[in-house]
Amino acid sequence: MPIRSWDIFCTIVDNYGDIGVCWRLARQLAQEHGHTVRLWVDDLHSFARLAPELDPTAERQRLAGVDIRTWQPASADAPFDAPMPHDVVIEAFACHLPAPFLQAMAAAPRKPVWLNLEYMSAEDWVAEHHAMASPHPRLPLTKYFFFPGFARGTGGLLRESMIGASRDAFRTSPAAHAALWHRLGVKPTPDALKISLFAYANPATPALLDQWQHGDLSIDCFVPQGLAATQIEAWLGASMQPGTSHRRGNLVLHGIPFVRQEHYDELLWACDINFVRGEDSFVRAHWAARPLVWHIYPQDDDAHHIKLDAWLTRFARAGVAPDASAALREFWHTWNGYGGTPDWAALYAQLPALTAGMDRWQRQLQHLGDLAANLVDFSENRVK
Ligand code: TRH
């Protein structure tokens, strides 16, 4: 049966990844599939960093074809004026639905498809757990676990249908580059290697900046406002506010604004190598088809190291030159607290091979379909 409408519930734990994923998914379902989407979000102030037109005080508003509502998830039993649920209800990253909404789902003549959208991972177990069903203990509802991933049998990754074409058009357009740099308020150094740096505070950052400063290569590093910029201010002894640039040896550090979500892609496309973090920027860097360095979201007991290594193992199997893959692994490990100091020269020596490897890998990933379309297919199959 066709699926036409969606409720997506999101809570913002910290940072921007949860809303980053939900907002991207909501827009894609509305704009590419023409579906009705209601996005429930608890913190519009964080959301507004990604979508500056948002009114953080409005309880309901419409943006980019999406109906945006506020909710307070502190307790599943908090008062909630539940409308008739849509065809599919997504609770993102295990945020719990309000009890009245769950009751409305159970009472609906056609029960909505109920999905928990999980965090992505390249680990092997993901394909085994993807699409698992969990019947509600009391209500006539079944929840399914939907896992984004990098392998067959997973939900795939968020990717808009036009992303590759938009990227390629951008790459061949000097005017588009000029507009990007103008918007960011920077003047890039001609012929410098361009690096974007989006990361958490990282003990490895000063050592890397030292290497860039004293290296032979001219480097422009673009740092959005946030944790990494604050840390770099201490290394620099100067402000990294948007619009400021500082030369240290062969390195120029540019403070740039945190831009709307669509514009962040252009920064990734414009750079030769992208440092990304968390979940959503990590996935976006794949579609830039350039080498990336991942600062993974840290978990207790270093559980995130397993997730990081799982990705590296898949990438190594994707046809990249073994030396390049080894240099990337080594660099990522030092960047993610495994010990040791990042070896920039070793990574840079593999840049051409890594660029070819990333391009190949992101093409392979496209065979998994895209997460939004996979969600539509999955949901339609549940209501046959
Ligand atoms: O902000 P994050 O660290 O989010 C994290 C992770 O998702 C993590 O897995 C999750 O558990 C935790 O939040 C709660 O990193 P992430 O996922 O890359 O999200 C950043 C979002 O911000 C992404 O959608 C891209 C967007 N962005 C912009 O819109 N403009 C910008 O200028 C930049 C730098 C990012």
PDB file of all heavy atoms in Angstrom, residues 13-18 20-21 24 49-50 119 198 200 224 257-262 264 277-282 284 297 307, ligand 1:
ATOM      1  N   VAL A  13      19.995  15.448  21.764  1.00  0.00           N
ATOM      2  CA  VAL A  13      20.742  15.024  22.951  1.00  0.00           C
ATOM      3  C   VAL A  13      21.819  16.063  23.243  1.00  0.00           C
ATOM      4  O   VAL A  13      21.836  16.716  24.273  1.00  0.00           O
ATOM      5  CB  VAL A  13      21.374  13.632  22.732  1.00  0.00           C
ATOM      6  CG1 VAL A  13      22.181  13.216  23.958  1.00  0.00           C
ATOM      7  CG2 VAL A  13      20.295  12.614  22.421  1.00  0.00           C
ATOM      8  N   ASP A  14      22.737  16.197  22.331  1.00  0.00           N
ATOM      9  CA  ASP A  14      23.685  17.310  22.364  1.00  0.00           C
ATOM     10  C   ASP A  14      24.173  17.453  20.931  1.00  0.00           C
ATOM     11  O   ASP A  14      23.875  16.624  20.071  1.00  0.00           O
ATOM     12  CB  ASP A  14      24.841  17.085  23.350  1.00  0.00           C
ATOM     13  CG  ASP A  14      25.654  15.846  23.026  1.00  0.00           C
ATOM     14  OD1 ASP A  14      25.363  15.180  22.026  1.00  0.00           O
ATOM     15  OD2 ASP A  14      26.580  15.545  23.783  1.00  0.00           O
ATOM     16  N   ASN A  15      24.885  18.490  20.634  1.00  0.00           N
ATOM     17  CA  ASN A  15      25.395  18.693  19.280  1.00  0.00           C
ATOM     18  C   ASN A  15      24.246  18.749  18.258  1.00  0.00           C
ATOM     19  O   ASN A  15      23.118  19.033  18.613  1.00  0.00           O
ATOM     20  CB  ASN A  15      26.415  17.624  18.932  1.00  0.00           C
ATOM     21  CG  ASN A  15      27.555  17.604  19.928  1.00  0.00           C
ATOM     22  OD1 ASN A  15      28.103  18.639  20.242  1.00  0.00           O
ATOM     23  ND2 ASN A  15      27.883  16.446  20.460  1.00  0.00           N
ATOM     24  N   TYR A  16      24.574  18.427  17.016  1.00  0.00           N
ATOM     25  CA  TYR A  16      23.610  18.672  15.929  1.00  0.00           C
ATOM     26  C   TYR A  16      23.251  17.433  15.123  1.00  0.00           C
ATOM     27  O   TYR A  16      22.495  17.520  14.171  1.00  0.00           O
ATOM     28  CB  TYR A  16      24.188  19.734  14.978  1.00  0.00           C
ATOM     29  CG  TYR A  16      24.575  20.984  15.693  1.00  0.00           C
ATOM     30  CD1 TYR A  16      25.900  21.276  15.966  1.00  0.00           C
ATOM     31  CD2 TYR A  16      23.595  21.857  16.167  1.00  0.00           C
ATOM     32  CE1 TYR A  16      26.254  22.419  16.664  1.00  0.00           C
ATOM     33  CE2 TYR A  16      23.939  22.996  16.866  1.00  0.00           C
ATOM     34  CZ  TYR A  16      25.267  23.272  17.113  1.00  0.00           C
ATOM     35  OH  TYR A  16      25.604  24.393  17.812  1.00  0.00           O
ATOM     36  N   GLY A  17      23.847  16.284  15.467  1.00  0.00           N
ATOM     37  CA  GLY A  17      23.682  15.109  14.611  1.00  0.00           C
ATOM     38  C   GLY A  17      22.255  14.589  14.555  1.00  0.00           C
ATOM     39  O   GLY A  17      21.760  14.226  13.490  1.00  0.00           O
ATOM     40  N   ASP A  18      21.571  14.548  15.712  1.00  0.00           N
ATOM     41  CA  ASP A  18      20.228  13.965  15.721  1.00  0.00           C
ATOM     42  C   ASP A  18      19.278  14.798  14.858  1.00  0.00           C
ATOM     43  O   ASP A  18      18.587  14.269  13.995  1.00  0.00           O
ATOM     44  CB  ASP A  18      19.707  13.875  17.158  1.00  0.00           C
ATOM     45  CG  ASP A  18      20.579  12.960  18.013  1.00  0.00           C
ATOM     46  OD1 ASP A  18      21.151  12.014  17.458  1.00  0.00           O
ATOM     47  OD2 ASP A  18      20.699  13.211  19.223  1.00  0.00           O
ATOM     48  N   GLY A  20      20.264  16.948  12.703  1.00  0.00           N
ATOM     49  CA  GLY A  20      20.849  16.984  11.351  1.00  0.00           C
ATOM     50  C   GLY A  20      20.295  15.867  10.480  1.00  0.00           C
ATOM     51  O   GLY A  20      19.880  16.086   9.340  1.00  0.00           O
ATOM     52  N   VAL A  21      20.234  14.676  11.029  1.00  0.00           N
ATOM     53  CA  VAL A  21      19.714  13.522  10.288  1.00  0.00           C
ATOM     54  C   VAL A  21      18.207  13.679  10.054  1.00  0.00           C
ATOM     55  O   VAL A  21      17.706  13.492   8.937  1.00  0.00           O
ATOM     56  CB  VAL A  21      20.022  12.215  11.061  1.00  0.00           C
ATOM     57  CG1 VAL A  21      19.250  11.038  10.484  1.00  0.00           C
ATOM     58  CG2 VAL A  21      21.523  11.936  11.062  1.00  0.00           C
ATOM     59  N   ARG A  24      17.286  16.439   7.507  1.00  0.00           N
ATOM     60  CA  ARG A  24      17.651  16.033   6.144  1.00  0.00           C
ATOM     61  C   ARG A  24      16.645  15.004   5.613  1.00  0.00           C
ATOM     62  O   ARG A  24      16.167  15.097   4.489  1.00  0.00           O
ATOM     63  CB  ARG A  24      19.046  15.417   6.187  1.00  0.00           C
ATOM     64  CG  ARG A  24      19.729  15.293   4.868  1.00  0.00           C
ATOM     65  CD  ARG A  24      21.093  14.685   5.021  1.00  0.00           C
ATOM     66  NE  ARG A  24      22.086  15.498   5.691  1.00  0.00           N
ATOM     67  CZ  ARG A  24      22.586  16.641   5.215  1.00  0.00           C
ATOM     68  NH1 ARG A  24      22.160  17.107   4.064  1.00  0.00           N
ATOM     69  NH2 ARG A  24      23.495  17.319   5.873  1.00  0.00           N
ATOM     70  N   ARG A  49      20.316  26.531  14.130  1.00  0.00           N
ATOM     71  CA  ARG A  49      21.682  26.672  13.612  1.00  0.00           C
ATOM     72  C   ARG A  49      21.777  26.059  12.210  1.00  0.00           C
ATOM     73  O   ARG A  49      22.534  26.517  11.365  1.00  0.00           O
ATOM     74  CB  ARG A  49      22.696  25.945  14.527  1.00  0.00           C
ATOM     75  CG  ARG A  49      22.771  26.434  15.944  1.00  0.00           C
ATOM     76  CD  ARG A  49      23.396  27.812  16.118  1.00  0.00           C
ATOM     77  NE  ARG A  49      24.666  28.053  15.467  1.00  0.00           N
ATOM     78  CZ  ARG A  49      25.866  27.748  15.942  1.00  0.00           C
ATOM     79  NH1 ARG A  49      25.958  27.136  17.099  1.00  0.00           N
ATOM     80  NH2 ARG A  49      26.969  28.049  15.277  1.00  0.00           N
ATOM     81  N   LEU A  50      21.035  24.995  11.976  1.00  0.00           N
ATOM     82  CA  LEU A  50      21.070  24.305  10.681  1.00  0.00           C
ATOM     83  C   LEU A  50      20.110  24.930   9.677  1.00  0.00           C
ATOM     84  O   LEU A  50      20.297  24.797   8.468  1.00  0.00           O
ATOM     85  CB  LEU A  50      20.674  22.831  10.844  1.00  0.00           C
ATOM     86  CG  LEU A  50      21.702  21.835  11.337  1.00  0.00           C
ATOM     87  CD1 LEU A  50      22.149  22.122  12.746  1.00  0.00           C
ATOM     88  CD2 LEU A  50      21.160  20.430  11.250  1.00  0.00           C
ATOM     89  N   TYR A 119      21.238   4.810  15.014  1.00  0.00           N
ATOM     90  CA  TYR A 119      22.478   5.418  14.535  1.00  0.00           C
ATOM     91  C   TYR A 119      23.119   4.496  13.503  1.00  0.00           C
ATOM     92  O   TYR A 119      22.970   3.275  13.569  1.00  0.00           O
ATOM     93  CB  TYR A 119      23.456   5.639  15.698  1.00  0.00           C
ATOM     94  CG  TYR A 119      23.011   6.723  16.646  1.00  0.00           C
ATOM     95  CD1 TYR A 119      22.612   6.432  17.941  1.00  0.00           C
ATOM     96  CD2 TYR A 119      22.993   8.050  16.229  1.00  0.00           C
ATOM     97  CE1 TYR A 119      22.207   7.443  18.811  1.00  0.00           C
ATOM     98  CE2 TYR A 119      22.592   9.063  17.098  1.00  0.00           C
ATOM     99  CZ  TYR A 119      22.199   8.745  18.377  1.00  0.00           C
ATOM    100  OH  TYR A 119      21.793   9.745  19.231  1.00  0.00           O
ATOM    101  N   PHE A 198      35.950  20.120  11.067  1.00  0.00           N
ATOM    102  CA  PHE A 198      34.783  20.089  11.960  1.00  0.00           C
ATOM    103  C   PHE A 198      35.036  18.921  12.911  1.00  0.00           C
ATOM    104  O   PHE A 198      35.099  17.764  12.477  1.00  0.00           O
ATOM    105  CB  PHE A 198      33.521  19.877  11.124  1.00  0.00           C
ATOM    106  CG  PHE A 198      32.226  19.855  11.905  1.00  0.00           C
ATOM    107  CD1 PHE A 198      31.955  20.789  12.897  1.00  0.00           C
ATOM    108  CD2 PHE A 198      31.258  18.897  11.628  1.00  0.00           C
ATOM    109  CE1 PHE A 198      30.757  20.769  13.601  1.00  0.00           C
ATOM    110  CE2 PHE A 198      30.048  18.872  12.318  1.00  0.00           C
ATOM    111  CZ  PHE A 198      29.798  19.807  13.305  1.00  0.00           C
ATOM    112  N   TYR A 200      35.336  17.607  17.445  1.00  0.00           N
ATOM    113  CA  TYR A 200      35.202  17.918  18.865  1.00  0.00           C
ATOM    114  C   TYR A 200      36.564  18.417  19.344  1.00  0.00           C
ATOM    115  O   TYR A 200      37.562  18.300  18.632  1.00  0.00           O
ATOM    116  CB  TYR A 200      34.797  16.663  19.644  1.00  0.00           C
ATOM    117  CG  TYR A 200      33.571  15.978  19.075  1.00  0.00           C
ATOM    118  CD1 TYR A 200      33.664  14.735  18.460  1.00  0.00           C
ATOM    119  CD2 TYR A 200      32.324  16.597  19.119  1.00  0.00           C
ATOM    120  CE1 TYR A 200      32.543  14.106  17.913  1.00  0.00           C
ATOM    121  CE2 TYR A 200      31.198  15.981  18.579  1.00  0.00           C
ATOM    122  CZ  TYR A 200      31.318  14.740  17.974  1.00  0.00           C
ATOM    123  OH  TYR A 200      30.213  14.144  17.428  1.00  0.00           O
ATOM    124  N   PRO A 224      34.700  25.853  11.164  1.00  0.00           N
ATOM    125  CA  PRO A 224      33.412  26.442  11.569  1.00  0.00           C
ATOM    126  C   PRO A 224      33.429  26.760  13.050  1.00  0.00           C
ATOM    127  O   PRO A 224      34.102  26.083  13.841  1.00  0.00           O
ATOM    128  CB  PRO A 224      32.394  25.330  11.283  1.00  0.00           C
ATOM    129  CG  PRO A 224      33.100  24.312  10.450  1.00  0.00           C
ATOM    130  CD  PRO A 224      34.563  24.462  10.719  1.00  0.00           C
ATOM    131  N   PRO A 257      31.695  30.909   9.636  1.00  0.00           N
ATOM    132  CA  PRO A 257      30.444  30.712  10.377  1.00  0.00           C
ATOM    133  C   PRO A 257      29.956  29.267  10.261  1.00  0.00           C
ATOM    134  O   PRO A 257      30.325  28.555   9.330  1.00  0.00           O
ATOM    135  CB  PRO A 257      29.463  31.665   9.680  1.00  0.00           C
ATOM    136  CG  PRO A 257      30.074  31.998   8.366  1.00  0.00           C
ATOM    137  CD  PRO A 257      31.542  31.764   8.461  1.00  0.00           C
ATOM    138  N   PHE A 258      29.137  28.877  11.209  1.00  0.00           N
ATOM    139  CA  PHE A 258      28.389  27.624  11.104  1.00  0.00           C
ATOM    140  C   PHE A 258      27.247  27.914  10.126  1.00  0.00           C
ATOM    141  O   PHE A 258      26.402  28.749  10.391  1.00  0.00           O
ATOM    142  CB  PHE A 258      27.851  27.252  12.480  1.00  0.00           C
ATOM    143  CG  PHE A 258      27.304  25.867  12.589  1.00  0.00           C
ATOM    144  CD1 PHE A 258      28.080  24.848  13.104  1.00  0.00           C
ATOM    145  CD2 PHE A 258      26.010  25.584  12.192  1.00  0.00           C
ATOM    146  CE1 PHE A 258      27.576  23.563  13.221  1.00  0.00           C
ATOM    147  CE2 PHE A 258      25.487  24.298  12.303  1.00  0.00           C
ATOM    148  CZ  PHE A 258      26.277  23.291  12.823  1.00  0.00           C
ATOM    149  N   VAL A 259      27.254  27.281   8.985  1.00  0.00           N
ATOM    150  CA  VAL A 259      26.327  27.671   7.915  1.00  0.00           C
ATOM    151  C   VAL A 259      25.102  26.769   7.873  1.00  0.00           C
ATOM    152  O   VAL A 259      25.093  25.703   8.507  1.00  0.00           O
ATOM    153  CB  VAL A 259      27.030  27.640   6.540  1.00  0.00           C
ATOM    154  CG1 VAL A 259      28.087  28.724   6.458  1.00  0.00           C
ATOM    155  CG2 VAL A 259      27.627  26.266   6.251  1.00  0.00           C
ATOM    156  N   ARG A 260      24.099  27.161   7.116  1.00  0.00           N
ATOM    157  CA  ARG A 260      22.912  26.331   6.961  1.00  0.00           C
ATOM    158  C   ARG A 260      23.327  24.986   6.355  1.00  0.00           C
ATOM    159  O   ARG A 260      24.336  24.886   5.665  1.00  0.00           O
ATOM    160  CB  ARG A 260      21.866  27.018   6.091  1.00  0.00           C
ATOM    161  CG  ARG A 260      22.418  27.473   4.752  1.00  0.00           C
ATOM    162  CD  ARG A 260      21.392  28.176   3.897  1.00  0.00           C
ATOM    163  NE  ARG A 260      20.215  27.388   3.788  1.00  0.00           N
ATOM    164  CZ  ARG A 260      19.007  27.765   4.223  1.00  0.00           C
ATOM    165  NH1 ARG A 260      18.846  28.969   4.754  1.00  0.00           N
ATOM    166  NH2 ARG A 260      17.978  26.982   4.100  1.00  0.00           N
ATOM    167  N   GLN A 261      22.507  23.975   6.619  1.00  0.00           N
ATOM    168  CA  GLN A 261      22.926  22.612   6.303  1.00  0.00           C
ATOM    169  C   GLN A 261      23.280  22.414   4.825  1.00  0.00           C
ATOM    170  O   GLN A 261      24.287  21.786   4.501  1.00  0.00           O
ATOM    171  CB  GLN A 261      21.813  21.646   6.712  1.00  0.00           C
ATOM    172  CG  GLN A 261      22.321  20.273   7.037  1.00  0.00           C
ATOM    173  CD  GLN A 261      21.210  19.319   7.434  1.00  0.00           C
ATOM    174  OE1 GLN A 261      20.088  19.386   6.918  1.00  0.00           O
ATOM    175  NE2 GLN A 261      21.520  18.404   8.335  1.00  0.00           N
ATOM    176  N   GLU A 262      22.495  22.997   3.927  1.00  0.00           N
ATOM    177  CA  GLU A 262      22.772  22.812   2.494  1.00  0.00           C
ATOM    178  C   GLU A 262      24.128  23.403   2.121  1.00  0.00           C
ATOM    179  O   GLU A 262      24.829  22.879   1.263  1.00  0.00           O
ATOM    180  CB  GLU A 262      21.704  23.483   1.631  1.00  0.00           C
ATOM    181  CG  GLU A 262      20.290  22.960   1.825  1.00  0.00           C
ATOM    182  CD  GLU A 262      19.543  23.700   2.932  1.00  0.00           C
ATOM    183  OE1 GLU A 262      20.158  24.035   3.963  1.00  0.00           O
ATOM    184  OE2 GLU A 262      18.332  23.925   2.754  1.00  0.00           O
ATOM    185  N   TYR A 264      26.770  23.669   3.980  1.00  0.00           N
ATOM    186  CA  TYR A 264      27.912  22.913   4.512  1.00  0.00           C
ATOM    187  C   TYR A 264      28.434  21.930   3.450  1.00  0.00           C
ATOM    188  O   TYR A 264      29.642  21.721   3.322  1.00  0.00           O
ATOM    189  CB  TYR A 264      27.501  22.189   5.797  1.00  0.00           C
ATOM    190  CG  TYR A 264      28.613  21.357   6.385  1.00  0.00           C
ATOM    191  CD1 TYR A 264      29.836  21.930   6.739  1.00  0.00           C
ATOM    192  CD2 TYR A 264      28.447  19.988   6.581  1.00  0.00           C
ATOM    193  CE1 TYR A 264      30.864  21.155   7.273  1.00  0.00           C
ATOM    194  CE2 TYR A 264      29.472  19.212   7.117  1.00  0.00           C
ATOM    195  CZ  TYR A 264      30.677  19.808   7.453  1.00  0.00           C
ATOM    196  OH  TYR A 264      31.692  19.037   7.968  1.00  0.00           O
ATOM    197  N   ARG A 277      32.810  14.808  11.855  1.00  0.00           N
ATOM    198  CA  ARG A 277      32.609  14.199  13.169  1.00  0.00           C
ATOM    199  C   ARG A 277      31.215  13.568  13.244  1.00  0.00           C
ATOM    200  O   ARG A 277      30.404  13.723  12.316  1.00  0.00           O
ATOM    201  CB  ARG A 277      32.788  15.251  14.253  1.00  0.00           C
ATOM    202  CG  ARG A 277      31.640  16.235  14.340  1.00  0.00           C
ATOM    203  CD  ARG A 277      31.859  17.314  15.391  1.00  0.00           C
ATOM    204  NE  ARG A 277      30.579  17.844  15.842  1.00  0.00           N
ATOM    205  CZ  ARG A 277      30.434  18.959  16.543  1.00  0.00           C
ATOM    206  NH1 ARG A 277      31.499  19.672  16.873  1.00  0.00           N
ATOM    207  NH2 ARG A 277      29.229  19.366  16.927  1.00  0.00           N
ATOM    208  N   GLY A 278      30.946  12.908  14.373  1.00  0.00           N
ATOM    209  CA  GLY A 278      29.584  12.461  14.653  1.00  0.00           C
ATOM    210  C   GLY A 278      29.036  11.514  13.606  1.00  0.00           C
ATOM    211  O   GLY A 278      29.642  10.488  13.299  1.00  0.00           O
ATOM    212  N   GLU A 279      27.903  11.877  13.033  1.00  0.00           N
ATOM    213  CA  GLU A 279      27.227  10.976  12.103  1.00  0.00           C
ATOM    214  C   GLU A 279      26.924  11.654  10.770  1.00  0.00           C
ATOM    215  O   GLU A 279      27.352  11.214   9.709  1.00  0.00           O
ATOM    216  CB  GLU A 279      25.922  10.468  12.737  1.00  0.00           C
ATOM    217  CG  GLU A 279      25.055   9.686  11.782  1.00  0.00           C
ATOM    218  CD  GLU A 279      24.251   8.579  12.421  1.00  0.00           C
ATOM    219  OE1 GLU A 279      24.534   8.206  13.580  1.00  0.00           O
ATOM    220  OE2 GLU A 279      23.339   8.058  11.755  1.00  0.00           O
ATOM    221  N   ASP A 280      26.194  12.758  10.823  1.00  0.00           N
ATOM    222  CA  ASP A 280      25.688  13.306   9.567  1.00  0.00           C
ATOM    223  C   ASP A 280      26.795  13.937   8.721  1.00  0.00           C
ATOM    224  O   ASP A 280      26.853  13.714   7.504  1.00  0.00           O
ATOM    225  CB  ASP A 280      24.578  14.325   9.848  1.00  0.00           C
ATOM    226  CG  ASP A 280      23.868  14.739   8.578  1.00  0.00           C
ATOM    227  OD1 ASP A 280      23.413  13.847   7.835  1.00  0.00           O
ATOM    228  OD2 ASP A 280      23.807  15.940   8.291  1.00  0.00           O
ATOM    229  N   SER A 281      27.690  14.711   9.332  1.00  0.00           N
ATOM    230  CA  SER A 281      28.774  15.309   8.528  1.00  0.00           C
ATOM    231  C   SER A 281      29.684  14.218   7.984  1.00  0.00           C
ATOM    232  O   SER A 281      30.234  14.343   6.883  1.00  0.00           O
ATOM    233  CB  SER A 281      29.572  16.321   9.350  1.00  0.00           C
ATOM    234  OG  SER A 281      30.152  15.727  10.488  1.00  0.00           O
ATOM    235  N   PHE A 282      29.825  13.129   8.724  1.00  0.00           N
ATOM    236  CA  PHE A 282      30.624  11.981   8.281  1.00  0.00           C
ATOM    237  C   PHE A 282      30.033  11.395   6.986  1.00  0.00           C
ATOM    238  O   PHE A 282      30.742  11.157   6.005  1.00  0.00           O
ATOM    239  CB  PHE A 282      30.638  10.951   9.415  1.00  0.00           C
ATOM    240  CG  PHE A 282      31.291   9.645   9.083  1.00  0.00           C
ATOM    241  CD1 PHE A 282      32.603   9.595   8.642  1.00  0.00           C
ATOM    242  CD2 PHE A 282      30.601   8.445   9.239  1.00  0.00           C
ATOM    243  CE1 PHE A 282      33.219   8.372   8.358  1.00  0.00           C
ATOM    244  CE2 PHE A 282      31.195   7.230   8.961  1.00  0.00           C
ATOM    245  CZ  PHE A 282      32.509   7.198   8.513  1.00  0.00           C
ATOM    246  N   ARG A 284      27.998  12.938   4.929  1.00  0.00           N
ATOM    247  CA  ARG A 284      28.088  13.949   3.842  1.00  0.00           C
ATOM    248  C   ARG A 284      29.465  13.951   3.193  1.00  0.00           C
ATOM    249  O   ARG A 284      29.599  14.170   1.993  1.00  0.00           O
ATOM    250  CB  ARG A 284      27.813  15.365   4.360  1.00  0.00           C
ATOM    251  CG  ARG A 284      26.498  15.577   4.992  1.00  0.00           C
ATOM    252  CD  ARG A 284      25.375  14.972   4.271  1.00  0.00           C
ATOM    253  NE  ARG A 284      24.942  15.734   3.099  1.00  0.00           N
ATOM    254  CZ  ARG A 284      23.949  15.343   2.303  1.00  0.00           C
ATOM    255  NH1 ARG A 284      23.306  14.212   2.523  1.00  0.00           N
ATOM    256  NH2 ARG A 284      23.600  16.068   1.255  1.00  0.00           N
ATOM    257  N   TYR A 297      31.944  10.214  17.484  1.00  0.00           N
ATOM    258  CA  TYR A 297      31.333  10.636  18.754  1.00  0.00           C
ATOM    259  C   TYR A 297      31.778   9.664  19.850  1.00  0.00           C
ATOM    260  O   TYR A 297      31.547   8.467  19.747  1.00  0.00           O
ATOM    261  CB  TYR A 297      29.812  10.626  18.605  1.00  0.00           C
ATOM    262  CG  TYR A 297      29.053  11.205  19.775  1.00  0.00           C
ATOM    263  CD1 TYR A 297      29.000  12.575  19.982  1.00  0.00           C
ATOM    264  CD2 TYR A 297      28.376  10.375  20.662  1.00  0.00           C
ATOM    265  CE1 TYR A 297      28.290  13.117  21.040  1.00  0.00           C
ATOM    266  CE2 TYR A 297      27.658  10.903  21.727  1.00  0.00           C
ATOM    267  CZ  TYR A 297      27.622  12.276  21.904  1.00  0.00           C
ATOM    268  OH  TYR A 297      26.923  12.808  22.961  1.00  0.00           O
ATOM    269  N   LYS A 307      33.359   0.723  16.276  1.00  0.00           N
ATOM    270  CA  LYS A 307      32.586   1.286  15.156  1.00  0.00           C
ATOM    271  C   LYS A 307      33.533   1.924  14.130  1.00  0.00           C
ATOM    272  O   LYS A 307      33.365   1.765  12.913  1.00  0.00           O
ATOM    273  CB  LYS A 307      31.644   2.339  15.754  1.00  0.00           C
ATOM    274  CG  LYS A 307      30.537   2.821  14.891  1.00  0.00           C
ATOM    275  CD  LYS A 307      29.516   3.560  15.760  1.00  0.00           C
ATOM    276  CE  LYS A 307      28.595   4.399  14.925  1.00  0.00           C
ATOM    277  NZ  LYS A 307      27.533   5.028  15.697  1.00  0.00           N
TER     278      LYS A 307
HETATM  279  O1  TRH B   1      27.031  17.624  15.875  1.00  0.00           O
HETATM  280  P1  TRH B   1      27.531  16.241  15.879  1.00  0.00           P
HETATM  281  O2  TRH B   1      28.665  15.959  16.727  1.00  0.00           O
HETATM  282  O3  TRH B   1      26.353  15.266  16.250  1.00  0.00           O
HETATM  283  C1  TRH B   1      26.480  14.153  17.100  1.00  0.00           C
HETATM  284  C2  TRH B   1      26.518  12.870  16.330  1.00  0.00           C
HETATM  285  O4  TRH B   1      25.506  12.741  15.385  1.00  0.00           O
HETATM  286  C3  TRH B   1      26.441  11.706  17.278  1.00  0.00           C
HETATM  287  O5  TRH B   1      26.408  10.497  16.539  1.00  0.00           O
HETATM  288  C4  TRH B   1      25.217  11.845  18.119  1.00  0.00           C
HETATM  289  O6  TRH B   1      25.101  10.791  18.966  1.00  0.00           O
HETATM  290  C5  TRH B   1      25.312  13.136  18.872  1.00  0.00           C
HETATM  291  O7  TRH B   1      25.368  14.206  17.950  1.00  0.00           O
HETATM  292  C6  TRH B   1      24.169  13.337  19.810  1.00  0.00           C
HETATM  293  O8  TRH B   1      27.955  15.822  14.375  1.00  0.00           O
HETATM  294  P2  TRH B   1      27.109  15.531  13.066  1.00  0.00           P
HETATM  295  O9  TRH B   1      26.363  14.239  13.212  1.00  0.00           O
HETATM  296  O10 TRH B   1      28.014  15.637  11.958  1.00  0.00           O
HETATM  297  O11 TRH B   1      26.054  16.690  12.987  1.00  0.00           O
HETATM  298  C7  TRH B   1      26.400  17.994  12.601  1.00  0.00           C
HETATM  299  C8  TRH B   1      25.307  18.581  11.742  1.00  0.00           C
HETATM  300  O12 TRH B   1      25.551  19.970  11.563  1.00  0.00           O
HETATM  301  C9  TRH B   1      25.252  17.973  10.337  1.00  0.00           C
HETATM  302  O13 TRH B   1      23.906  17.845   9.937  1.00  0.00           O
HETATM  303  C10 TRH B   1      25.938  18.999   9.469  1.00  0.00           C
HETATM  304  C11 TRH B   1      25.514  20.264  10.173  1.00  0.00           C
HETATM  305  N1  TRH B   1      26.360  21.439   9.923  1.00  0.00           N
HETATM  306  C12 TRH B   1      25.777  22.563   9.367  1.00  0.00           C
HETATM  307  O14 TRH B   1      24.581  22.559   9.057  1.00  0.00           O
HETATM  308  N2  TRH B   1      26.536  23.676   9.178  1.00  0.00           N
HETATM  309  C13 TRH B   1      27.854  23.716   9.506  1.00  0.00           C
HETATM  310  O15 TRH B   1      28.511  24.746   9.313  1.00  0.00           O
HETATM  311  C14 TRH B   1      28.449  22.543  10.061  1.00  0.00           C
HETATM  312  C15 TRH B   1      29.916  22.540  10.421  1.00  0.00           C
HETATM  313  C16 TRH B   1      27.668  21.421  10.276  1.00  0.00           C
END
